[in-house]
Amino acid sequence: MGNHLIAPSILSADFSNLKTDIEMINSSQADWFHVDIMDGVFVPNISFGMPVLKAISKYAKKELDVHLMIINPEKYIEKFAELGSDNITIHYETCNNLDDTIKIIKHTGVKVGVAINPDTDVKVLAKYINKIDMVCLMGVFPGFSGQKFIEKTFQRCSELRQMIISNNSKCQIEIDGGVSDTNARKLLECGANILVAGSFVFKSENPQKTISTLKNII
Ligand code: DX5
Ligand code: ZN
């Protein structure tokens, strides 16, 4: 535990006042902006795409953690990198050749994340764990903010941490979906390094205070 990062998810922001919410995050204790890109094919929802990422990138003063919930991600990686992504996370389930997709991301110079859905076995990541910067372990089925956290994520996180340790890997663990003050500490104890939080931050009365609460868990 210690030194974990907080990545508020823009999906829960007020899109009619996006600049205000970006500035709120800029002046908060948050570390990254988590940006959810959904295609309505891999997930049953469409969020936003490149023009909105471009707008976020214009005002955001922290790293952009771009989570691609899209099929054929390899087609768009270069563009997302050009738009200012610092991390690009693709889904294991969407890649026919994950090794190639990892290489494409690395070639753009941004950090590589691989996300897995709650029903994908953590073990599938073993052969990639020394090639990627981060695993994004979903705490919900991707598509929507505000869903209930799936409890078996704790155990999956511990299993992933074991895999990382036994492979001598520097890979970080990000938890995305359903994160709140009721599970954050336990997730950190299970080895998480980065916590994404959407509705828990943006639906709270004082989002900056909520971000500090998550950041200051020791
Ligand atoms: C879910 C997205 C998440 C979402 C998290 O498909 O990938 O990043 O915004 O929202 P909460 O924290 O409300 O579950
Ligand atoms: Zn996400």
Side-chain angles (χ1 to χ4, degrees):
M1 276 175 78
N3 296 324
H4 62 278
L5 306 182
I6 304 301
S9 171
I10 286 294
L11 185 64
S12 294
D14 175 359
F15 294 138
S16 61
N17 284 298
L18 192 50
K19 191 176 169 201
T20 308
D21 278 349
I22 292 169
E23 283 166 349
M24 179 279 287
I25 295 177
N26 281 341
S27 60
S28 76
Q29 280 194 290
D31 298 280
W32 294 352
F33 284 80
H34 183 81
V35 184
D36 289 306
I37 310 285
M38 301 180 182
D39 67 355
V41 180
F42 173 59
V43 289
N45 193 15
I46 299 174
S47 54
F48 48 75
M50 287 143 186
V52 174
L53 177 61
K54 192 173 175 190
I56 295 169
S57 173
K58 186 166 164 197
Y59 295 108
K61 296 204 175 91
K62 303 184 178 196
E63 288 193 17
L64 297 183
D65 177 35
V66 176
H67 179 192
L68 298 182
M69 287 158 275
I70 64 175
I71 62 164
N72 302 130
E74 63 285 348
K75 283 191 187 170
Y76 303 102
I77 284 163
E78 204 170 317
K79 188 69 192 166
F80 280 113
E82 271 171 24
L83 291 173
S85 307
D86 293 281
N87 310 323
I88 294 182
T89 296
I90 38 115
H91 266 265
Y92 172 83
E93 299 84 6
T94 62
C95 294
N96 295 324
N97 189 330
L98 188 53
D99 268 315
D100 282 353
T101 313
I102 290 169
K103 277 186 203 143
I104 295 170
I105 302 177
K106 283 196 172 161
H107 188 72
T108 68
V110 311
K111 285 177 279 177
V112 184
V114 175
I116 56 169
N117 280 353
D119 59 355
T120 297
D121 195 333
V122 168
K123 291 185 184 65
V124 303
L125 295 169
K127 55 180 180 181
Y128 306 101
I129 209 73
N130 285 302
K131 300 179 181 173
I132 62 180
D133 299 289
M134 177 173 95
V135 169
C136 173
L137 199 59
M138 295 304 300
V140 301
F141 282 90
F144 301 91
S145 61
Q147 300 182 79
K148 195 175 171 295
F149 180 75
I150 298 171
E151 297 285 320
K152 74 168 190 239
T153 311
F154 293 122
Q155 190 213 317
R156 286 162 58 74
C157 186
S158 303
E159 190 188 337
L160 182 58
R161 173 172 53 185
Q162 265 327 107
M163 181 194 292
I164 290 170
I165 292 171
S166 55
N167 283 280
N168 236 324
S169 161
K170 291 195 174 70
C171 185
Q172 303 262 290
I173 303 175
E174 175 178 72
I175 308 292
D176 185 14
V179 172
S180 74
D181 59 352
T182 62
N183 53 28
R185 175 182 297 274
K186 191 167 169 192
L187 285 168
L188 297 172
E189 285 166 359
C190 292
N193 310 101
I194 304 134
L195 301 176
V196 175
S199 50
F200 182 64
V201 166
F202 285 96
K203 303 276 179 278
S204 69
E205 218 159 282
N206 185 339
Q208 286 191 332
K209 200 171 155 214
T210 304
I211 291 168
S212 301
T213 303
L214 291 175
K215 180 70 181 173
N216 294 307
I217 297 170
I218 14 165

